[in-house]
Amino acid sequence: MAPSSYQAPSRGDKSEKTYSQTKQSNLASSSTTIAKLLAEKGSDVITVRPNDTIANVVTILRDKGIGAVVVTDQNRAVKGILSERDIVRRMADTPGQTLPQAVEDLMTKEVQSCAPGDSMISVLQRMTDGKFRHMPVMEGDSLAGMITVGDVVNFRLKELEYEALQMKQMIVG
């Protein structure tokens, strides 16, 4: 039963359509950029050199609580990326001989990167498709930061919580 204040439309009424959701409002989060994520997260990136040892990298990964490092030369130009996965795979192939090896022998040389202006949704899709969890952020030729799948997911969860809070406040008044 309709509320007593409701009146069904009559013939002479002007048809005025209202929408509680639009394509723009539903896709607003897809336009959030990597720059916005980095502004909250920060742009610190742990880097190592190609001739460093895996033992050194393992210590850095443990001490910093991270899953990957960017490999740079003396001019901070990106040469590769080395993740926990890369190290574990090599340990399986060369048990007991991995730690003294050089970073350049294990690192991924074809580095997938993104730019601060890229949308988080497109970057997350690239990471999912490529099955990697870490991506350097490049501004031109300069290393501007590093993002992870977890960073993107956590940022989006915070956005959703904020959106839910806004909706509650609209409803409650």
Side-chain angles (χ1 to χ4, degrees):
M1 174 165 227
S4 60
S5 62
Y6 173 76
Q7 282 188 311
S10 6
R11 276 189 187 192
D13 287 347
K14 292 179 184 169
S15 160
E16 194 175 305
K17 290 187 177 183
T18 61
Y19 298 94
S20 61
Q21 295 183 16
T22 65
K23 184 177 179 183
Q24 283 180 320
S25 69
N26 288 338
L27 296 176
S29 65
S30 68
S31 63
T32 302
T33 62
I34 296 300
K36 191 171 179 183
L37 187 153
L38 283 180
E40 187 176 301
K41 176 189 179 199
S43 58
D44 291 343
V45 182
I46 306 299
T47 62
V48 297
R49 298 273 189 264
N51 59 346
D52 284 345
T53 65
I54 300 304
N56 182 46
V57 173
V58 167
T59 301
I60 291 169
L61 294 175
R62 181 199 63 205
D63 293 349
K64 300 288 184 183
I66 56 176
V69 292
V70 177
V71 185
T72 60
D73 64 13
Q74 64 276 6
N75 300 321
R76 215 164 140 79
V78 175
K79 296 298 176 188
I81 188 167
L82 183 67
S83 71
E84 295 167 317
R85 257 189 215 170
D86 297 325
I87 295 168
V88 168
R89 285 184 185 132
R90 181 59 65 98
M91 289 178 112
D93 294 341
T94 59
Q97 302 167 13
T98 305
L99 296 179
Q101 294 180 32
V103 166
E104 63 190 342
D105 296 333
L106 275 77
M107 71 183 188
T108 300
K109 293 177 178 127
E110 299 293 321
V111 180
Q112 293 287 318
S113 65
C114 62
D118 292 349
S119 76
M120 275 200 287
I121 276 297
S122 68
V123 171
L124 187 58
Q125 188 62 56
R126 285 178 53 205
M127 293 172 88
T128 301
D129 293 345
K131 296 183 178 148
F132 50 88
R133 299 172 290 185
H134 304 85
M135 184 181 277
V137 181
M138 301 295 292
E139 198 158 16
D141 291 336
S142 299
L143 186 58
M146 170 87 105
I147 62 162
T148 67
V149 169
D151 294 334
V152 176
V153 169
N154 286 331
F155 188 88
R156 185 61 186 130
L157 285 174
K158 285 180 187 174
E159 278 186 330
L160 289 172
E161 287 174 7
Y162 180 71
E163 289 170 14
L165 178 63
Q166 284 183 314
M167 288 180 72
K168 271 185 189 174
Q169 288 174 340
M170 276 179 39
I171 292 167
V172 173

